[in-house]
Amino acid sequence: MESLLQDIFPGQPLDSRADLIALSRGGISMKEVHRLLAALSLTLREISRILPVSERQLNRYRDDDTLRKDLSSHLIQLVELFEQGYAVFGKEKFDRWVRTENRAIDNNRPIDLMDTPIGIDLINDIVGRVAHGVYS
């Protein structure tokens, strides 16, 4: 079974962390962003709240325009988080879970914490605990 990263970035070498660094340095195209949105069941509005860029600005990009390195790296981390979440919860349940208030994060919704790498790491830790049966 292919990974989400392979589905979103077909033809890209994605065998190592170095490959992901190269992908983020090269920038993710808006065409790939649209594939990412579809694969992760995210809206343009949700992704604009996660990334430090407005929905209006994202709408202005053409399909062949690429995002900056920091935005691209953030999106790659997001895909990895969702891939982990889908493996643990299943796609539909994880998509609901990220939009539901959670006591483990002070009744915040996980999606609202994904605007920083630290927030993504925190959500990843919670998903990992769930995977190992440690409910918090």
Side-chain angles (χ1 to χ4, degrees):
M1 181 177 157
E2 285 199 351
S3 73
L4 273 175
L5 283 167
Q6 291 168 326
D7 289 343
I8 296 166
F9 308 106
Q12 294 275 354
L14 300 171
D15 300 323
S16 68
R17 300 308 279 173
D19 291 337
L20 296 177
I21 291 168
L23 176 61
S24 66
R25 285 179 175 160
I28 292 174
S29 72
M30 278 307 292
K31 184 177 182 179
E32 293 165 328
V33 170
H34 290 295
R35 278 199 302 264
L36 182 149
L37 293 174
L40 305 184
S41 301
L42 292 170
T43 65
L44 201 57
R45 175 166 286 158
E46 287 172 325
I47 207 69
S48 72
R49 289 179 181 154
I50 292 170
L51 296 176
V53 62
S54 71
E55 182 178 1
R56 185 174 176 192
Q57 181 64 39
L58 287 173
N59 277 319
R60 288 183 182 165
Y61 284 116
R62 295 183 319 261
D63 279 351
D64 59 340
D65 288 337
T66 57
L67 298 179
R68 299 184 322 247
K69 174 176 50 175
D70 59 324
L71 301 177
S72 297
S73 178
H74 196 121
L75 288 175
I76 291 167
Q77 288 179 300
L78 197 65
V79 173
E80 290 180 319
L81 169 64
F82 273 71
E83 190 163 45
Q84 163 107 356
Y86 291 167
V88 172
F89 291 92
K91 182 173 177 22
E92 288 182 25
K93 189 172 181 182
F94 186 72
D95 287 343
R96 279 191 314 271
W97 183 83
V98 298
R99 292 169 176 87
T100 304
E101 291 179 357
N102 188 311
R103 283 186 285 161
I105 49 175
D106 297 326
N107 291 320
N108 287 298
R109 299 178 324 151
I111 198 168
D112 295 333
L113 302 180
M114 294 178 190
D115 61 333
T116 67
I118 295 168
I120 289 174
D121 286 344
L122 175 63
I123 303 308
N124 234 336
D125 288 346
I126 293 169
V127 171
R129 289 196 306 261
V130 170
H132 290 93
V134 180
Y135 296 94
S136 49

